Amino acid sequence: MSEADMELETKLIDRAVQEREKILQKAKARAATILQKAENEVERIKRDTERQVVNIVGSELRAVSDRIVGQAELEGRETLMDARKNLLDSIFEEARERLNEIAQGNTETDYHNILKKLISEAIIAIGEDEFIIRANKEDLEYLRENLSDMDFGITGIDFRFAEEAVNTMGGVIVENRDGTKIYRNTLEGRLMTVRQEHEAEIAQTLGLI
Amino acid sequence: MNRILSMGGRLQRLLEEAESEADRILSEARAEADAMINEAKEESEYRLSRAQRGTGIDDLIKSEEEKAQKEAQKVKERYLSRVEEIKGVSTEKRKEAVNMIVEEVIPE
């Protein structure tokens, strides 16, 4: 075998091997592409399926969410309302204590002048000429001694005092002669009315609303 | 010369075998791809039919529950933060409110 023949043979073998490799590489690359496309298609099918399942059971899922989130909202609102109520309770308790101090004469505020105004308000509201006054023990004592000196700006009115003292920190309960009209003007009563009528305003002052 | 011709024949067979091997690779890939897609389709049909019957949605329900629990936690935190604000109302505001009440209770 000549050297030229050997060289030719080597070249033929090299070319054939290269060609074989090329054929196999190309096939493997195409196979990889086919599998990749299939994987993409599988993913798409799964996504579409999940979407369709969610559509089918959507209301059930919404109910689950509504139940859990709704419960949290409810509990949250209750906690918030409790906190608001507790704050308002403590504020009104503080106000009650202040009023008690005023009624006890422990402040600079003239409680006897307040008492006079409370009686005046009651007799104007009842609008008759004979009244029965109820009050706590201390106020009754004071009124028994001083009521005749008080000027209510109305003439021809007559007062009597109830035998028994009422349990109140201050103020009066005024009735007409036959007890058909009663005007409760105690400090507790007025405090309660303020809470009923002005709670929103007070809540606003506290920054609650 | 005869030796080279004989060699050429062997090399030709080598290439033919490579072509066959390539065909086998592609054919296997196509079969595998078809199997994957068919399996996904079957799974999809099974899942959809179960969903229509209201079964086999435990994973979705569980996932929705987890999502809702997170949302619920945020809701709770929002309310708790407002509660903390309420608890921290300043002394000035408290005083202002108490004064307002006392002024309303005492007749002018």
Side-chain angles (χ1 to χ4, degrees), chain A residues 40-192:
Chain A
N40 292 345
E41 178 63 6
V42 166
E43 282 308 310
R44 188 194 63 74
I45 291 168
K46 282 183 180 172
R47 277 198 308 275
D48 283 357
T49 306
E50 284 311 302
R51 229 184 344 256
Q52 288 177 61
V53 169
V54 168
N55 282 339
I56 293 167
V57 299
S59 61
E60 210 163 324
L61 296 181
R62 273 192 298 279
V64 166
S65 178
D66 289 352
R67 174 174 55 78
I68 294 170
V69 178
Q71 182 65 24
E73 279 282 352
L74 193 68
E75 285 172 11
R77 271 199 294 271
E78 275 175 10
T79 311
L80 187 62
M81 280 167 67
D82 282 350
R84 282 176 174 162
K85 186 182 174 297
N86 289 343
L87 177 61
L88 284 167
D89 284 350
S90 74
I91 293 291
F92 274 90
E93 177 55 25
E94 218 172 297
R96 198 196 65 79
E97 283 166 13
R98 178 95 68 82
L99 290 166
N100 195 39
E101 288 297 303
I102 292 171
Q104 295 291 318
N106 296 336
T107 67
E108 289 177 358
T109 311
D110 181 358
Y111 172 64
H112 291 142
N113 188 39
I114 292 170
L115 198 57
K116 183 189 158 193
K117 286 178 180 173
L118 292 171
I119 296 169
S120 182
E121 238 182 49
I123 61 177
I124 290 168
I126 292 174
E128 294 190 9
D129 50 14
E130 271 190 59
F131 304 96
I132 302 165
I133 294 182
R134 297 175 191 280
N136 67 26
K137 194 174 162 231
E138 293 77 16
D139 290 349
L140 273 180
E141 277 172 16
Y142 172 78
L143 291 170
R144 280 192 179 107
E145 286 177 17
N146 299 282
L147 189 67
S148 56
D149 299 332
M150 289 182 184
D151 179 14
F152 295 104
I154 307 166
T155 54
I157 53 173
D158 191 27
F159 292 103
R160 280 192 291 132
F161 296 100
E163 290 295 318
E164 283 183 20
V166 292
N167 184 20
T168 174
M169 66 175 158
V172 288
I173 299 169
V174 181
E175 295 175 21
N176 64 352
R177 187 177 44 192
D178 53 12
T180 53
K181 292 181 183 175
I182 302 174
Y183 194 94
R184 296 174 196 280
N185 222 7
T186 60
L187 294 180
E188 291 94 333
R190 291 177 68 90
L191 186 63
M192 204 182 289

Side-chain angles (χ1 to χ4, degrees), chain A residues 1 5 8-9 12-13 16 19-20 23-24 27-28 30-31 34-35 38-39 41-42 45 49-50 52-54 56-57 60-61 64-65 67-69 72-73 75-77 79-80 83-84 87 90-92 94-95 98-99 102 114 117-118 121 187 190-191 194 198 201-202 205-208, chain B residues 1 3-4 7-8 11 14-15 18-19 21-23 25-26 28-30 32-34 36-37 40-41 43-45 47-48 51-52 54 57 59-61 64-65 68-69 71-73 75-76 78-80 82-83 86-87 89 93-102 104-108:
Chain A
M1 192 174 180
D5 285 348
L8 183 60
E9 190 178 296
L12 280 172
I13 291 169
E19 188 62 26
R20 178 181 180 275
I23 289 165
L24 290 176
K28 283 175 186 170
R30 283 185 62 193
I34 288 166
L35 289 173
E39 277 172 16
E41 178 63 6
V42 166
I45 291 168
T49 306
E50 284 311 302
Q52 288 177 61
V53 169
V54 168
I56 293 167
V57 299
E60 210 163 324
L61 296 181
V64 166
S65 178
R67 174 174 55 78
I68 294 170
V69 178
E73 279 282 352
E75 285 172 11
R77 271 199 294 271
T79 311
L80 187 62
R84 282 176 174 162
L87 177 61
S90 74
I91 293 291
F92 274 90
E94 218 172 297
R98 178 95 68 82
L99 290 166
I102 292 171
I114 292 170
K117 286 178 180 173
L118 292 171
E121 238 182 49
L187 294 180
R190 291 177 68 90
L191 186 63
V194 169
H198 299 278
E201 208 179 318
I202 290 150
T205 302
L206 291 165
L208 299 183
Chain B
M1 194 60 187
R3 183 183 158 86
I4 287 173
M7 169 75 67
L11 292 177
L14 183 74
L15 292 179
E19 290 287 357
E21 174 67 6
D23 285 346
I25 289 169
L26 286 175
E28 275 182 13
R30 284 192 193 102
E32 192 180 339
D34 286 347
M36 282 163 68
I37 291 168
K41 283 180 177 169
E43 174 64 25
S44 166
E45 280 170 21
R47 197 154 161 69
L48 286 172
Q52 274 155 355
I57 54 168
D59 53 341
L60 280 173
I61 298 277
E64 193 65 23
E65 276 175 352
Q69 291 291 3
E71 180 62 26
Q73 188 56 35
V75 168
K76 282 181 189 169
R78 200 175 65 229
Y79 277 107
L80 282 179
R82 286 164 73 183
V83 166
I86 288 171
K87 285 181 179 170
V89 165
K93 278 188 177 174
R94 290 182 69 97
K95 212 179 272 180
E96 193 184 339
V98 170
N99 287 341
M100 186 189 278
I101 295 165
V102 172
E104 284 292 335
V105 171
I106 291 174
E108 286 176 13

